[in-house]
Amino acid sequence: MALLAALCCGCAANPAPDEAAAQLPPPGSSAPPSDAAPSSSAPPDPAAVGANELGQVPILMYHRLVERPSSVYDRTPAAFRAELERLAAEGYVPVTTAEYATGKIDLPAGAHPVVLTFDDGDATQFALGPDGAPVPGTAIAILLDVAARHPGFRPVASLYVNAGPFGSPDGAALRWLRDHGFEIGNHTRDHTNLASADERGVQEAIAAGQREIQRAVPDYRVSTLALPFGAIPSNGALALRGGSDGTSYEYACVLMVGAGPAPSPFAADFDPTTTPRIRSQDPTGEDARYGSAVWLDQLAAAPAQRYTSDGVPDRISYPASAGLTPAPHFTDRAVAY
Ligand SMILES: [Zn+2]
């Protein structure tokens, strides 16, 4: 992981963006996904759909969408659209980081959760046009377009912002995101390297980022953090909870940068202080083995490794043969088959 921490986050090369904030859609507020499984009055049979709710979840990481990528963190709009189309075709349904980390993964039987995350508040991710709608060609506009053509594919994502995101200093962009069910996450106000800050500095950086978001969206509850540069503070617990200057924070999950799929939030190995992500990337090139194309291939080839929903929100189904262990506080809901 040290290698990945060192090479990760094109954030370093990108200017820090503007402000932030969004709110989780209320549970059940999204249209029920319809691609993945037929509805039925009887609870779906976990074995029939290969349910594995202790399996792994890809949390994909994006930075800029540009026609001419200048770093491994850039993607072209066409590559981004193709990746979303692939996810939809393979039965993935987006959930936000907060939904993932709190186990609010209410998907049809057979569907797989995926988390789409965007760092740095770049205007190629999202911007509002004069008509008040997302600018065509931005990542969010593309996501909305793909979701419109795949009704089960929820148009949700988690956007991790610094001060002044999306070229929208009045906060209108953040309010739009909040109003449309997207999650606004903290990426610190100034894109601070938390590994080189002292304990007071870690909390100041995180609290300041949260204040920036809440300045634009006052009632918004920020619930997850993405570490700038993937750099973990020496006291990792301070990334999850702390406070400074009258602002306290407590997060459900802290995202790193590399370098593989994340554990199920119901699994014994889920650690909210160091949750891994996967950089969106073609199957070839620099460190492609850590990238999304390679990992999505691997998850497709190993169904027992991947999180597959059983279609019943309160039941955590998993194959007894998979050698997986539920976290102690979920054992009463976990059912091996
Ligand atoms: Zn960043």
Side-chain angles (χ1 to χ4, degrees), residues 24-337:
L24 276 180
S29 67
S30 59
S34 60
D35 278 358
S39 61
S40 166
S41 55
D45 176 4
V49 297
N52 181 10
E53 294 177 309
L54 299 183
Q56 295 177 318
V57 178
I59 301 177
L60 304 185
M61 179 183 70
Y62 301 94
H63 285 82
R64 298 191 306 160
L65 296 191
V66 292
E67 292 295 347
R68 296 171 180 271
S70 60
S71 91
V72 73
Y73 293 92
D74 293 339
R75 301 242 63 185
T76 66
F80 176 68
R81 180 183 291 274
E83 185 154 84
L84 295 184
E85 293 281 358
R86 174 185 182 169
L87 291 169
E90 295 185 0
Y92 284 97
V93 176
V95 300
T96 65
T97 309
E99 290 171 326
Y100 154 78
T102 59
K104 294 186 176 67
I105 306 175
D106 183 7
L107 303 182
H112 317 289
V114 62
V115 184
L116 309 174
T117 70
F118 297 85
D119 286 6
D120 302 349
D122 192 83
T124 64
Q125 298 167 5
F126 177 62
L128 286 176
D131 59 352
V135 172
T138 60
I140 298 305
I142 293 170
L143 171 57
L144 291 170
D145 186 53
V146 171
R149 288 182 294 110
H150 298 274
F153 198 76
R154 300 172 69 220
V156 299
S158 299
L159 297 96
Y160 291 90
V161 299
N162 315 108
F166 312 119
S168 172
D170 65 356
L174 294 184
R175 289 189 291 276
W176 190 98
L177 290 168
R178 184 268 319 270
D179 291 345
H180 290 81
F182 290 84
E183 179 184 7
I184 302 169
N186 193 349
H187 199 41
T188 76
R189 183 185 63 194
D190 302 316
H191 207 274
T192 301
N193 184 330
L194 300 179
S196 54
D198 62 18
E199 292 198 351
R200 180 176 175 174
V202 167
Q203 294 174 87
E204 285 177 349
I206 295 171
Q210 181 169 296
R211 271 196 302 275
E212 283 292 309
I213 294 170
Q214 292 174 330
R215 188 165 59 83
V217 191
D219 297 327
Y220 188 72
R221 182 178 173 191
V222 181
S223 53
T224 64
L225 171 81
L227 296 167
F229 313 104
I232 303 168
S234 50
N235 180 354
L238 289 178
L240 206 58
R241 60 180 66 86
S244 176
D245 296 331
T247 299
S248 63
Y249 59 88
E250 180 164 7
Y251 297 145
C253 180
V254 174
L255 298 176
M256 301 189 296
V257 169
S264 162
F266 308 121
D269 57 345
F270 172 67
D271 181 352
T273 66
T274 51
T275 301
R277 290 190 286 176
I278 299 169
R279 182 171 58 202
S280 178
Q281 191 172 351
D282 287 334
T284 57
E286 178 187 337
D287 291 311
R289 66 188 183 282
Y290 300 118
S292 58
V294 169
W295 273 116
L296 290 174
D297 283 350
Q298 185 163 322
L299 289 169
Q305 182 181 352
R306 178 168 57 174
Y307 188 115
T308 300
S309 178
D310 70 359
V312 179
D314 292 335
R315 182 180 69 187
I316 301 167
S317 298
Y318 65 103
S321 60
L324 300 163
T325 306
H329 50 292
F330 287 118
T331 52
D332 60 335
R333 291 171 49 194
V335 180
Y337 65 88

